[in-house]
Amino acid sequence: MRVTMAGAGNAFGDGGMLQTCVHVQAAGGDGALLVDCGATALTGLKRLGLDPGDVSVVAVSHLHGDHFGGLPFLILDGQFTRRVRPLHLVGPPGLEERLGQAMEVLFPGSSSVSRRFEVRVHEVAPGSCARVEGVGVRAFEADHAAGAVALALRVEVAGRTIAYSGDTAWTDTLVDVADGADLFLCEGYTYERAVRYHLHVPELLARLDRLGCRRLLLTHAGPQVLARRAELGLDLAEDGMVLEI
């Protein structure tokens, strides 16, 4: 399985990085998966030569613009490129309503037009899961304020498991999210001063021995973390990074 960081940054472009968008392609698979779809996702995918039309499932952690704001652009791109493949969106309760609102704000009338492809929304509450197009998405409650419940996710594709913290303060739930995962994509936003609802790297470092994942990759880094990349002792995601798991 190939995992490509089409966006590894936070909402504010720190380090010049694009907003969160993780492209997952199983070997020999027909479709691709996105984990989160920030507002810059379409730019990130096209910059890397990844066809947005191949995306069959998007797993969304929460409803902040740097994590789901690329969906209107992804949907409209499919409309104008004559996409026919259904697009499945899996995310927290409230996703369907918030998506419609976002589309109307950005492109009035776009939420109700007729398209050649279906957009199917699957809302998952913490403790539940969905399986679509061979992708399993299990939801856990994160500690993050987003106007609706925020999720950490375990995504299963072709026998591999990718765990994803989303945005969250430390919560012991992350131990369950990461357990046995082939890859844990974990927020690492602050270093000197903790920010409410976000993961503080020193807190993460103090609990590394509790995380039973095979590989951990920090994402969503803020300036304090970026300035210390050489001394973190952890891998830090970069735009365009490709991992084979």
Side-chain angles (χ1 to χ4, degrees):
M1 176 183 296
R2 175 168 292 180
V3 178
T4 304
M5 303 301 297
N10 55 45
F12 308 114
D14 290 326
M17 289 193 285
L18 299 178
Q19 295 171 2
T20 305
C21 179
V22 184
H23 183 277
V24 181
Q25 179 76 60
D30 180 44
L33 159 75
L34 297 184
V35 179
D36 272 349
C37 186
T40 57
L42 203 59
T43 299
L45 293 171
K46 292 188 175 184
R47 181 178 292 173
L48 296 169
L50 300 169
D51 184 357
D54 289 340
V55 175
S56 57
V57 180
V58 183
V60 176
S61 65
H62 66 284
L63 304 183
H64 277 156
D66 57 320
H67 293 263
F68 100 109
L71 292 177
F73 301 97
L74 181 66
I75 291 168
L76 264 68
D77 182 75
Q79 181 178 327
F80 292 120
T81 56
R82 307 178 74 85
R83 175 188 178 119
V84 294
R85 178 195 295 272
L87 179 62
H88 296 269
L89 311 178
V90 184
L95 172 58
E96 187 164 21
E97 180 180 9
R98 188 82 65 88
L99 175 61
Q101 294 168 346
M103 294 193 71
E104 286 304 311
V105 167
L106 295 172
F107 303 99
S110 65
S111 67
S112 58
V113 300
S114 178
R115 303 184 185 91
R116 295 176 180 84
F117 65 98
E118 276 191 87
V119 178
R120 303 174 188 167
V121 178
H122 310 262
E123 296 186 350
V124 286
S128 66
C129 63
R131 177 164 289 276
V132 291
E133 298 288 329
V135 176
V137 181
R138 182 170 296 277
F140 299 77
E141 187 166 3
D143 183 5
H144 188 69
V149 65
L151 303 176
L153 303 171
R154 280 177 67 93
V155 180
E156 298 178 1
V157 187
R160 297 286 187 270
T161 299
I162 297 172
Y164 177 48
S165 70
D167 286 1
T168 184
W170 173 265
T171 164
D172 285 349
T173 299
L174 294 178
V175 176
D176 295 327
V177 174
D179 187 39
D182 296 285
L183 175 66
F184 181 28
L185 300 168
C186 186
E187 183 192 18
Y189 187 49
T190 58
Y191 196 90
E192 285 103 359
R193 183 176 62 86
V195 173
R196 192 179 184 190
Y197 300 128
H198 287 281
L199 223 159
H200 190 48
V201 170
E203 290 188 64
L204 176 65
L205 291 171
R207 295 166 172 82
L208 279 181
D209 61 348
R210 299 179 61 193
L211 300 177
C213 53
R214 293 182 174 85
R215 180 172 184 180
L216 185 146
L217 184 66
L218 286 184
T219 67
H220 204 275
Q224 301 166 8
V225 176
L226 292 170
R228 288 166 175 74
R229 68 175 70 221
E231 62 192 68
L232 290 174
L234 297 172
D235 292 333
L236 187 62
E238 304 272 0
D239 288 359
M241 177 184 284
V242 178
L243 303 92
E244 301 286 347
I245 63 171

